[in-house]
Amino acid sequence: DQQVKQNSPSLSVQEGRISILNCDYTNSMFDYFLWYKKYPAEGPTFLISISSIKDKNEDGRFTVFLNKSAKHLSLHIVPSQPGDSAVYFCAASSSSSDYKLSFGAGTTVTVRA
Amino acid sequence: DAGITQSPRHKVTETGTPVTLRCHQTENHRYMYWYRQDPGHGLRLIHYSYGVKDTDKGEVSDGYSVSRSKTEDFLLTLESATSSQTSVYFCAITPGRQSYEQYFGPGTRLTVT
């Protein structure tokens, strides 16, 4: 049973606008959350993370929000750029798990010019 | 970029043959992971290692074995390949020590005919 879910397989956004990607989790033991970006024929690359003791983390154009009570996190990309077109994976881990990550199925983002 | 390579990058093999994929790191990280990526599933953990000769199963370990005789190398073996093991395989590393970010290799595309 998938413990991390990304219910939107795809997202299309115009260049310059905001992209919002959503992720839900079911395991209440998760206490660290990450977003990865993946281009075709490459490995995923780490984008941004957040600990469960925070509700927001920002890094340049990327902001991750965490709502623990709803078991929900989101990634905001502002403004969206053509180079942001990629697959984005949400991942989660617990401090007792040998740093193992559980991944969502991914959301394909397409930024239109 | 994390010093992590995978070999081979592409392989086509026949059903029933053994296959070994290699992951090599130059970072001296303690933890190493093997994932497979399939459409609709994101990345799923196959096996992981938390030290030399220390390995454990992930969520989709059936049909796979691993070995780690040196810190820098983590081998994934398909004892008798099946068509359901056609996938893209990624290796990842992390130092642990409260760092949850995993760094991924470029992947191996395996086709079992």
Side-chain angles (χ1 to χ4, degrees):
Chain A
D1 188 30
Q2 204 159 16
Q3 300 182 77
V4 178
K5 297 180 182 179
Q6 295 176 255
N7 292 318
S8 298
S10 63
L11 172 69
S12 181
V13 63
Q14 193 165 10
E15 182 178 0
R17 305 296 290 268
I18 184 171
S19 295
I20 300 177
L21 291 78
N22 294 301
C23 178
D24 298 294
Y25 62 97
T26 57
N27 188 341
S28 58
M29 296 300 293
F30 288 148
D31 53 13
Y32 202 84
F33 304 89
L34 307 91
W35 285 93
Y36 281 82
K37 176 179 181 179
K38 185 185 180 306
Y39 292 120
E42 295 183 10
T45 56
F46 170 71
L47 194 57
I48 191 170
S49 62
I50 187 167
S51 163
S52 61
I53 63 173
K54 296 184 176 181
D55 55 16
K56 176 182 175 181
N57 189 28
E58 191 171 356
D59 184 0
R61 297 186 296 115
F62 302 93
T63 303
V64 57
F65 296 92
L66 176 63
N67 182 334
K68 289 188 293 293
S69 61
K71 294 190 175 69
H72 177 84
L73 62 155
S74 61
L75 175 69
H76 293 209
I77 307 173
V78 184
S80 298
Q81 299 175 352
D84 296 332
S85 294
V87 179
Y88 290 79
F89 292 102
C90 171
S93 184
S94 72
S95 54
S96 59
S97 70
D98 280 333
Y99 305 98
K100 291 183 294 184
L101 297 180
S102 295
F103 283 86
T107 297
T108 300
V109 173
T110 303
V111 180
R112 310 185 309 271
Chain B
D1 289 345
I4 177 168
T5 57
Q6 294 183 232
S7 58
R9 293 294 314 280
H10 303 270
K11 187 170 182 65
V12 180
T13 192
E14 293 185 350
T15 298
T17 60
V19 177
T20 295
L21 309 183
R22 180 183 184 234
C23 177
H24 179 77
Q25 62 146 330
T26 58
E27 306 296 320
N28 202 37
H29 285 348
R30 176 182 176 189
Y31 292 87
M32 300 184 75
Y33 308 83
W34 276 108
Y35 294 88
R36 58 179 290 174
Q37 185 198 1
D38 303 290
H41 291 279
L43 290 97
R44 292 181 292 175
L45 182 65
I46 305 171
H47 281 280
Y48 71 102
S49 171
Y50 48 96
V52 173
K53 293 186 168 42
D54 292 323
T55 65
D56 206 349
K57 296 179 179 180
E59 62 179 299
V60 290
S61 59
D62 288 348
Y64 301 95
S65 63
V66 290
S67 66
R68 191 171 178 199
S69 59
K70 298 184 291 185
T71 298
E72 58 266 35
D73 289 326
F74 192 31
L75 303 180
L76 176 71
T77 297
L78 291 66
E79 301 291 347
S80 177
T82 67
S83 58
S84 65
Q85 293 175 313
T86 292
S87 187
V88 182
Y89 291 86
F90 289 101
C91 177
I93 62 175
T94 187
R97 299 194 300 270
Q98 302 309 311
S99 171
Y100 291 84
E101 291 81 9
Q102 292 183 14
Y103 301 94
F104 284 80
T108 294
R109 181 171 293 277
L110 177 67
T111 303
V112 183
T113 61

